[in-house]
Amino acid sequence: MSHSSHRIYEILIHLLFWALFVFVSLFVFSNYYWSENPFLQYFFILVGIVYLNNGVLLPFFIRKRYYFVYTISIGTIAFLGTQAYCNYFAECGCSIMKCLSDYLWQTLVPIVFFSFLWMLYRYLKKQDELESIKKDHTEIELQFLKSQINPHVLFNNLNTIYSYALEKPKEVPEMVLMLSDNLKHVLYESNAHTIDLQKELDYIENYIAFQKIRTENLKKIDFTVVADSTRHKIAPLLLITLIENAFKHSAAHSTVQIAITVQEGALTCYCKNKINHGNPSENSSKIGLANLQKRLSLLYKNKHELKITETEDYSVHLKLQLV
């Protein structure tokens, strides 16, 4: 609930309380008063006491944590207010105890009620602030995790273009256009919380096209996409870590299998490759997977399954519930 909504509800509660309080004081307990209804004269002083308490006393004593002093202070104010009502407004000539027993509730009930209301809304405001801080922290963390992916993908693509510029320069223009599409996706479209699934699939297909060129005559790539619908949203750059790892850590002259399926709003990404045991970048793979797991826990909490199997082959099975 927004701060403005809290404020509106708070004002409505104040108005309803005062209306009910005046009604009860004048009609339910009317036997206590003279026909001139001296309560109405005291009412404005009572309102002043309540909002002095809410605006000055409560914030000050709660901030200082002087709870006992506050209790004594508000008790004294309630006592003096009740005595003022008895002796100067109602002029009942009651003893102190009789006055307190008959009229103390009139001063004490609004003070206690609005003190409770003040603390309740103070608590709700703090909760909203904590939620806002938590959300901002999550956004910053996600941006940081995403930034760890972007340069790495770009670096690999540039390396591929560089090698072809030396060996097969005729193919470079098309590759530059493909890289341009990838950069557009990474730099602009991936800044959103979610993007169209089709855009993410296009980006992955583009990346794999680079890899087919880069690993020509070295690796066989078995890539399939089967989707009953692509009218879904997905967090950007989420699957690329799995696909990158499949290429990066696969043995030479082996097959890299990548299968993406979308069925009834659930996406499954399956990657399998033969392990290259002499690969020195195993630590970076672990960092990449840790990065992915962190993003999944932030974006798809209780809506994903990630299973990693490592034998002679390395396989990763990810299932997501799409939006």
Side-chain angles (χ1 to χ4, degrees):
M1 189 181 294
S2 66
H3 176 69
S4 59
S5 298
H6 282 163
R7 189 62 182 164
I8 291 170
Y9 283 122
E10 187 177 4
I11 291 171
L12 288 174
I13 291 171
H14 279 238
L15 293 175
L16 288 172
F17 175 86
W18 285 122
L20 180 62
F21 182 71
V22 170
F23 175 82
V24 170
S25 297
L26 293 180
F27 296 100
V28 177
F29 295 98
S30 57
N31 292 334
Y32 290 145
Y33 309 117
W34 295 352
S35 58
E36 290 86 355
N37 288 326
F39 168 76
L40 291 176
Q41 303 166 30
Y42 178 64
F43 174 75
F44 296 103
I45 296 176
L46 182 59
V47 170
I49 292 173
V50 166
Y51 290 108
L52 175 67
N53 176 54
N54 275 33
V56 179
L57 299 181
L58 260 175
F60 175 77
F61 286 109
I62 295 298
R63 186 174 64 252
K64 297 291 186 179
R65 298 188 178 184
Y66 295 159
Y67 306 121
F68 179 74
V69 178
Y70 170 75
T71 303
I72 296 299
S73 300
I74 206 65
T76 301
I77 291 172
F79 172 79
L80 295 175
T82 303
Q83 292 301 311
Y85 179 74
C86 289
N87 297 313
Y88 296 102
F89 293 95
E91 297 182 359
C92 64
C94 304
S95 65
I96 291 177
M97 294 308 297
K98 175 64 175 173
C99 182
L100 292 177
S101 65
D102 287 349
Y103 302 113
L104 181 61
W105 70 271
Q106 245 181 350
T107 306
L108 209 54
V109 167
I111 291 174
V112 171
F113 176 80
F114 284 110
S115 295
F116 170 77
L117 195 65
W118 182 88
M119 288 186 283
L120 174 63
Y121 276 96
R122 180 173 177 265
Y123 170 78
L124 293 175
K125 184 179 179 181
K126 283 192 173 182
Q127 290 299 112
D128 286 344
E129 289 173 354
L130 288 174
E131 284 296 320
S132 177
I133 291 170
K134 184 177 179 181
K135 183 179 179 181
D136 291 343
H137 176 75
T138 301
E139 289 295 325
I140 292 170
E141 189 171 7
L142 284 171
Q143 289 299 325
F144 172 72
L145 292 172
K146 209 184 293 181
S147 71
Q148 291 179 306
I149 299 171
N150 299 353
H152 188 64
V153 175
L154 175 61
F155 180 74
N156 283 349
N157 290 340
L158 286 173
N159 271 345
T160 302
I161 292 176
Y162 174 74
S163 63
Y164 267 72
L166 297 176
E167 299 173 6
K168 301 178 181 179
K170 292 183 180 181
E171 298 184 24
V172 170
E174 184 180 354
M175 295 175 69
V176 170
L177 288 176
M178 293 169 65
L179 178 59
S180 175
D181 289 338
N182 275 7
L183 282 175
K184 179 183 176 183
H185 183 82
V186 170
L187 295 177
Y188 300 108
E189 294 171 351
S190 67
N191 288 328
H193 293 288
T194 58
I195 61 171
D196 292 338
L197 175 61
Q198 187 59 58
K199 288 184 178 180
E200 190 70 7
L201 292 176
D202 290 343
Y203 169 70
I204 290 170
E205 289 175 359
N206 206 351
Y207 175 82
I208 290 174
F210 260 91
Q211 294 304 315
K212 284 182 177 179
I213 296 171
R214 184 168 171 262
T215 60
E216 188 179 9
N217 300 323
L218 290 176
K219 297 176 184 178
K220 180 181 177 183
I221 299 173
D222 182 5
F223 173 61
T224 59
V225 176
V226 178
D228 60 1
S229 173
T230 57
R231 294 180 180 178
H232 297 285
K233 298 285 187 179
I234 188 173
L237 305 177
L238 200 64
L239 307 179
I240 193 65
T241 299
L242 302 179
I243 296 170
E244 270 202 313
N245 282 342
F247 285 105
K248 191 192 311 179
H249 305 292
S250 58
H253 307 293
S254 64
T255 299
V256 177
Q257 296 180 29
I258 301 168
I260 298 174
T261 61
V262 180
Q263 187 173 10
E264 297 180 355
L267 180 144
T268 301
C269 180
Y270 176 75
C271 300
K272 181 180 178 182
N273 61 276
K274 194 168 187 64
I275 298 175
N276 180 6
H277 293 286
N279 196 324
S281 57
E282 184 178 352
N283 287 335
S284 64
S285 173
K286 292 179 180 178
I287 293 171
L289 287 174
N291 183 329
L292 173 65
Q293 289 171 330
K294 185 65 174 176
R295 290 190 71 203
L296 288 171
S297 67
L298 291 170
L299 297 170
Y300 292 92
K301 187 176 182 180
N302 302 322
K303 293 183 179 180
H304 76 277
E305 297 176 13
L306 179 63
K307 184 179 179 181
I308 300 173
T309 305
E310 185 172 354
T311 54
E312 289 188 3
D313 294 328
Y314 189 86
S315 62
V316 181
H317 185 275
L318 172 64
K319 186 174 182 181
L320 293 176
Q321 193 62 45
L322 297 173
V323 180

